[in-house]
Amino acid sequence: MDLYGRRQEQAALDQILDDARQGRGAALVLWGDPGIGKTALLGYAASAAEADFTVLRCRGTRLESMLAFAALHELLWPVIDRISTLPEPQAKALNGALGKSGDVADRFLIGVAVLTLLGELAEKRPVLIMADDAHWLDEPSAQCLAFIARRLCNDPVVMLLTGHDDPVDGPWEKLTAMEIRGLADEDARLLVGAAAPDIDEAVIHRIVSAAAGNPLALQELPASVASGDIYTHPLAGEQIAVGPRLRRALSIRMDGLSASARTALLLTAAEDRGDRNTVRQAGSVLGLDGAAWDEALQSGLITMRPGERICFRHPLIRAVVYEEAPLADRHAVHRALASVLTGEKADELRSWHLAAAVEAAGGPDEEVARLLEESAHSTWGRGGCATAARALRRAAKLSPSMDDAARRLAHGARAAWEAGQVDVARGMLERAEGMSSESTVAGLSDGLRGLIEFAHGDMESAYRYLIRDMDLVADPGQAFKLGSMAVRAAWSAGQTGLQDEALHQLEQRLPQGGFPNADLLPLWREWWSGDNGHGAHAHSPVVIPGAEVLNRLSGSSWRLMPPAPLGVAWGIECVLDEALRRKIDKLRHTDQVTALTLALAQTVTLDIAQGLWTAATANATEGLQLAEEIGAEHLASQSRNCLGWLAAARGDEQAVADYAALTFEQSVPRGVRALSAAAEWNLGMSALFAGRAEEALDRLIRLTEKGHHSAHPTFAVLAALDTAEAAVQAGQPETAQEQVRLLRRCAERTHAAWAVSAMHVADALLASGTEAEKRFRLALEVPGAASRPFAYARTRLLYGEWLRRARRRIDARVQLAEAAEIFRRLGAAPLLARVQAEQELTGQQLRGSEAGARDSVVILTAQELRVARLAAEGLTNREIGAQLLISPRTVGHHLSNVFPKLGIVSRADLSRIDFEDGLRLAG
């Protein structure tokens, strides 16, 4: 294909195709002004790939942007028969999205299905995906392609997209982009000469000057000159029409056509899909004959393509034809198109055409609004939440009744929320509330306002909305969920008074227990009431929930279980972890990615407490990736905080600071003190382990400082031993005593082993002589204390330091050796270094391997670790890919890295790897 002035762009496309031939995939966005040549570059890539690639194409159009998965349907049509070969959940999800079944699926499972399908196609030959006019793709298809584009590096799949704007935000924001600029003058002259061989040099010069390098303008302007489309500028003199004036030039060309030919062009523009039969039938309704179509084709503005498709030569021409048409003509052609539609998606298309006709005519229309609403709910059922939201917004606009409009907006807001469009959902709720009462809209949206605020906004605002809406929704089960979320919001805000108030309101709202697991409310209240042992509830009856209780709550809604930090404070991490693990195992075999992200964020804290740091790192990394995918900022911060805690324990101070800065940026303005407190704790712990006690105390004391953005009672208790140690080292025993009292109240209330042990350790730090040793021994002897290895090893370290200072070097060596082994296994470098320094002070000579931060331990990336663990469980590459939202080929790539790192040669050897003890071969 001959392209003028595109050597650099062609070389980039050649390179990306060659990389795919070598097994490396990539995605590239070509962006620039209309008519700049993006589509021509796609044509070049298709020609370069046709011999050895499978080429799949789709194009965004104005009309089909309103049809969920329309672009995906077009893209996959050539290989649609391969869907049946996918794993059953994926095949069902994709068939449901494409309207071939009634199955409903999460957009992530649909993305995994397409990724698997492309991966299998790529096993035979590389795949080239081209999406022209990506700015017009329907949102579910765009989300799916964006999901795939971020996961192509290990598959021989190339994705090329075109759009008008720099993809700095939206679905393509993380993809590589190339701006397509105007042609240089010399190349522009060559293009004009090729487009109009007989034109003289003076006119070529004027055209090149006027077109500013735009290839479409360079090809269209010769015709403008021939038709006399020249105007006189008051200062610059005679000029050729270009830019907005190019639109005028096109309009002048259309003015030279008969009314029937112009109607044929308008029909084609309004139909927007290129279905020749549909536009011909609609033309018959409007009285068009063959001569009108012949004239329209002879104008050169439209062309016939293989497969009975009728298309405009360029999207800009289509836009001009449609936008320059009188409203009455638009009304007529949309009505005609709606009257002849048949086949797949006919009902959805008909509702959109009728809506366009009504809007062209002006005024509301309840019948069309009802059809749009029905179409929206059908689309919603197939996973097209974003499209459903758009349809409901348009239905509201056409609704004669304010009540109907408010209802449609409220439902549309819910659809937008499920699509991850938080700002759209908020805007629709505000419009609905402007048409109806807030209470009515709250009931219609099932309390969406509070749920949005809880997930993305201010916690105290979320609390107020959730408490209000709990009294407005009709379903007792939904009321209980909203009330429980209100309690959780109050906890996240660090407001114990609001927690108690929410519990009281909930009990008042549900006095008859008309909701699932109503008998668990008293126990549930016990977890949440008061302030975890800081006040009036210190002597309440202690009830430690078992796995059965947690399983019943998770069966109703996992959100009814306590958040992980609260569970850790209560000392129920084992039973809570067991319940969540079962939940995660189920979620990994479903399409509920949002729920999976929420559950993963909870398990990381539990993994850390139990000393499963390898798993914690992998789960936190996966949870962070998923949270960023779905735009869940609070969950992303929770995962970052867990990674920050691990970084502090491992001595990576820069990572701690980076994670904390992001958390503060997101959480402080929104009053999410549970998150800002966790970040503050990490910073304090990092400083403490680095030997900067004053700095550590300055940060840790903020957790109990009333009114501070990091003040939070649960995290104050969890960090109390750190605060006490920092206070002792900083010479502030009174502050340390306050921490002892904090721990004692928690221990008396919860009887949690960690709290009892930490209380004894804090007492020991303040005591002397035999009393200190007694306290250290009591801390080590608490039943269950050893189940938290890091805390247990730290107790041994502190005891060993005391013994060494008491000149009991032999006894000190015993404690220090035990601590060193645990810190070495966990990778807790700062405390391991501290232990080794103490060991040397006892006169012990360390071996070379002991003197390092760790023995030689295999290091896998978080993704490699996840893949290896699942492969060790016997899962196939397909099954692993489905769980981790990556392609089977990427799974194979990771395993090819894992085997040499672990010194093994087969999947069978993975079953012998101890994934929690340095990734060593067991036995």
Side-chain angles (χ1 to χ4, degrees), residues 242-266:
V242 70
R245 296 181 295 278
L246 179 58
R247 298 168 66 88
R248 177 169 161 250
L250 291 170
S251 298
I252 290 174
R253 292 180 65 180
M254 290 184 287
D255 289 344
L257 301 176
S258 68
S260 295
R262 291 199 303 273
T263 300
L265 291 175
L266 180 57

Side-chain angles (χ1 to χ4, degrees), residues 34-35 216 243 246-247 250 314-321:
L216 177 62
L246 179 58
R247 298 168 66 88
L250 291 170
H314 191 277
L316 182 60
I317 301 173
R318 181 178 66 244
V320 172
V321 168

Side-chain angles (χ1 to χ4, degrees), residues 69-86:
F69 299 109
L72 191 63
H73 191 284
E74 180 184 1
L75 183 76
L76 299 181
W77 182 253
V79 294
I80 206 162
D81 58 308
R82 298 291 299 271
I83 294 177
S84 61
T85 68
L86 296 175

Side-chain angles (χ1 to χ4, degrees), residues 198-221:
D198 300 328
I199 200 166
D200 64 54
E201 188 65 26
V203 175
I204 289 178
H205 177 76
R206 291 163 61 197
I207 290 172
V208 169
S209 176
N214 185 291
L216 177 62
L218 289 165
Q219 295 174 79
E220 292 293 333
L221 287 177

Side-chain angles (χ1 to χ4, degrees), residues 726-749:
V728 169
Q729 290 185 19
Q732 297 187 33
E734 299 84 1
T735 302
Q737 287 285 3
E738 293 173 5
Q739 303 306 307
V740 172
R741 288 191 287 272
L742 204 62
L743 286 167
R744 181 169 289 111
R745 288 197 296 269
C746 180
E748 290 173 351
R749 176 167 165 74

Side-chain angles (χ1 to χ4, degrees), residues 654-674:
Q654 186 59 55
V656 177
D658 291 344
Y659 286 131
L662 284 171
T663 296
F664 289 144
E665 180 183 342
Q666 294 287 341
S667 303
V668 172
R670 295 172 174 139
V672 194
R673 289 185 176 86

Side-chain angles (χ1 to χ4, degrees), residues 91-104 382:
K92 285 184 174 181
L94 192 48
N95 280 325
L98 300 181
K100 296 170 63 65
S101 74
D103 293 293
V104 180
R382 294 191 288 112

Side-chain angles (χ1 to χ4, degrees), residues 366-513:
E366 173 57 28
E367 178 61 20
V368 174
R370 183 186 61 78
L371 290 174
L372 276 172
E373 185 175 13
E374 291 175 358
S375 169
H377 285 292
S378 172
T379 301
W380 197 344
R382 294 191 288 112
C385 303
T387 305
R390 186 187 298 184
L392 287 163
R393 185 166 59 243
R394 198 165 185 179
K397 183 178 179 182
L398 298 178
S399 301
S401 163
M402 296 283 275
D403 289 341
D404 288 335
R407 183 189 76 252
R408 287 159 178 156
L409 285 169
H411 291 166
R414 190 85 194 195
W417 159 253
E418 292 187 14
Q421 299 176 333
V422 181
D423 291 337
V424 173
R426 279 198 179 107
M428 293 179 78
L429 278 180
E430 288 171 3
R431 287 180 57 199
E433 289 166 354
M435 298 176 179
S436 183
S437 66
E438 287 190 11
S439 59
T440 300
V441 173
L444 291 169
S445 65
D446 283 338
L448 179 59
R449 173 74 72 180
L451 298 176
I452 291 175
E453 284 299 311
F454 180 81
H456 298 275
D458 177 80
M459 285 299 105
E460 292 192 35
S461 296
Y463 167 82
R464 289 192 296 272
Y465 285 124
L466 289 163
I467 285 293
R468 180 200 70 182
D469 295 349
M470 177 181 65
D471 289 328
L472 299 175
V473 297
D475 177 42
Q478 181 66 16
F480 184 39
K481 289 179 182 179
L482 293 178
S484 67
M485 295 291 280
V487 176
R488 205 179 185 101
W491 177 84
S492 295
Q495 301 285 352
T496 55
L498 293 183
Q499 279 178 229
D500 287 338
E501 180 182 321
L503 288 164
H504 177 72
Q505 295 271 6
L506 185 57
E507 289 173 337
Q508 293 297 311
R509 169 67 172 84
L510 305 167
Q512 305 303 317

